[in-house]
Amino acid sequence: MSFSLWRGVVGMVRPTRRPGTLEELIRILPEGIGIVPLLLNFKAGSNSEFLESLPQYEAFVAELAEQGVDFIILSGAPPFMLLGYEGERALIEAWEAKYGTPIVTDPQMQVASLRALGIKSFVGASYSAIQNEIVLKYMAEAGFQSLSMEPIDVPFDQVSQISAERLYSHVKRQCVRHPGADGIYIQGGGWQTARVVQMLEDDLQMPVVHATICQAWEIHTRLRVRQVASGYGRLLTELPKNPAIASHRAKADPGLER
């Protein structure tokens, strides 16, 4: 059975049943966009758990594709980052061909956001030492330089308790210690900290890429919605062209991007 809303419907596979960030994303989006979420149940946040989850991700992709969603977001960066930049791309292209539905992962959205904002070097934050290591390796493969990326290392089940104020001070200290970055990269979709983006951009005068904001921007650009959301930084205020989608559309229709 296929359901629709007047601006489009997004299928989403989320790695945990942790509340808060999905609600935050929905509040940011304009009226008329629907989200159909399917939830995995990560508990340990370990490399083995991340890799073992890929068959369940695929099963949920098949289910969402059958329901006729406009495209599918695979939330949860580490399972796909562990495949490497090119390995992730190959897997997603294979799933798109198999299920006939556009698919994008959190890492792919974050790379596109960094490129859209002209960020080549960054200071950043994640919420575990394990995740930090995975992120840095992947982003180097994608062509970015990290001047500093320090985790706020908390137990996996306490990520949502990290406050916007704590994240703000953590990131600002790194910016002061490591000047010269093009922007700030806040990785991890488990913390409810989207409101920190505008504060950091205003105070530090550099663009910020934040996991939840990346998802909102991706939804806007894929569904071709341009209802600007204020208070969440440049990515949603300016809605710059998504380089990944522009490339995809140009391949589908070579005359489209001329």
Side-chain angles (χ1 to χ4, degrees), residues 129-146:
I130 292 175
Q131 193 153 312
N132 214 55
E133 182 180 350
I134 297 169
V135 171
L136 287 172
K137 184 175 185 297
Y138 175 93
M139 283 299 173
E141 291 177 5
F144 299 98
Q145 179 187 13
S146 170

Side-chain angles (χ1 to χ4, degrees), residues 24-31 33 35 215-217 219-220:
E24 186 173 51
L25 171 63
I26 291 170
R27 285 193 294 268
I28 293 170
L29 294 174
E31 184 181 357
I33 296 174
I35 295 183
Q215 293 177 351
W217 173 70
I219 291 168
H220 275 80

Side-chain angles (χ1 to χ4, degrees), residues 24-30 33 113 116-117 194-195 197-198 201 207-221 225-241:
E24 186 173 51
L25 171 63
I26 291 170
R27 285 193 294 268
I28 293 170
L29 294 174
I33 296 174
S113 298
L117 291 172
R195 66 187 180 87
V197 172
Q198 193 68 59
E201 288 194 350
V208 177
V209 166
H210 179 287
T212 300
I213 302 303
C214 288
Q215 293 177 351
W217 173 70
E218 187 80 24
I219 291 168
H220 275 80
T221 54
V225 173
R226 295 198 62 85
Q227 184 171 330
V228 174
S230 62
Y232 294 102
R234 282 180 52 189
L235 201 60
L236 287 187
T237 300
E238 300 175 6
L239 291 177
K241 181 179 290 186

Side-chain angles (χ1 to χ4, degrees), residues 30-42:
E31 184 181 357
I33 296 174
I35 295 183
V36 179
L38 297 179
L39 311 179
L40 283 78
N41 193 22
F42 285 12

Side-chain angles (χ1 to χ4, degrees), residues 109-130:
M109 288 184 281
Q110 291 160 17
V111 164
S113 298
L114 289 164
R115 290 174 177 164
L117 291 172
I119 299 172
K120 297 180 180 179
S121 63
F122 60 78
V123 296
S126 67
Y127 44 64
S128 80
I130 292 175

